[in-house]
Amino acid sequence: MLTKEKKQEIVKEFGKNEKDTGSSEVQIALLSYRISELTEHLKTHEKDNHSRRGLYMLIGQRRGLLNYLKKLDIERYRDVIARLNLRG
């Protein structure tokens, strides 16, 4: 679960300032954290299809934000990909 402290830590790391929760980088980082948490949950609860659907929706949201960021500024996109270790 995403605690208030963890969210603030992510915002501080990826945002322009401590109140910057709306930038694409922060949103992608928050979604990535939630995706990793849900992935761990599904490793132990394999038949939890409701959570699996939520995971797929989060992945789609993150994909859309990444596509938007790629069109907007390719350097910021590459920076986020590298910092989050996406693209294996």
Side-chain angles (χ1 to χ4, degrees), residues 19-76:
K19 302 276 186 201
D20 180 25
T21 58
S23 69
S24 299
E25 293 93 336
V26 173
Q27 290 182 38
I28 292 167
L30 290 171
L31 284 170
S32 295
Y33 180 79
R34 289 179 59 199
I35 287 169
S36 65
E37 290 288 309
L38 260 178
T39 303
E40 291 303 313
H41 167 79
L42 287 171
K43 285 180 181 175
T44 56
H45 302 91
E46 296 169 1
K47 295 185 179 186
D48 187 357
N49 290 319
H50 289 83
S51 293
R52 191 175 311 279
R53 179 178 186 269
L55 173 66
Y56 291 150
M57 290 173 68
L58 291 176
I59 291 171
Q61 261 187 318
R62 183 177 71 181
R63 177 78 258 147
L65 282 168
L66 284 168
N67 286 340
Y68 167 76
L69 190 60
K70 189 176 186 180
K71 280 189 263 183
L72 185 72
D73 186 354
I74 192 75
E75 289 305 317
R76 284 171 51 196

Side-chain angles (χ1 to χ4, degrees), residues 73-86:
D73 186 354
I74 192 75
E75 289 305 317
R76 284 171 51 196
Y77 169 79
R78 289 179 180 150
D79 182 48
V80 169
I81 294 292
R83 287 168 66 187
L84 290 173
N85 283 337
L86 300 177

Side-chain angles (χ1 to χ4, degrees), residues 7-15 17-18 20-21 26:
K7 183 175 181 178
Q8 287 173 343
E9 181 182 316
I10 291 172
V11 169
K12 190 178 290 185
E13 182 180 345
F14 286 91
N17 58 44
E18 291 182 16
D20 180 25
T21 58
V26 173

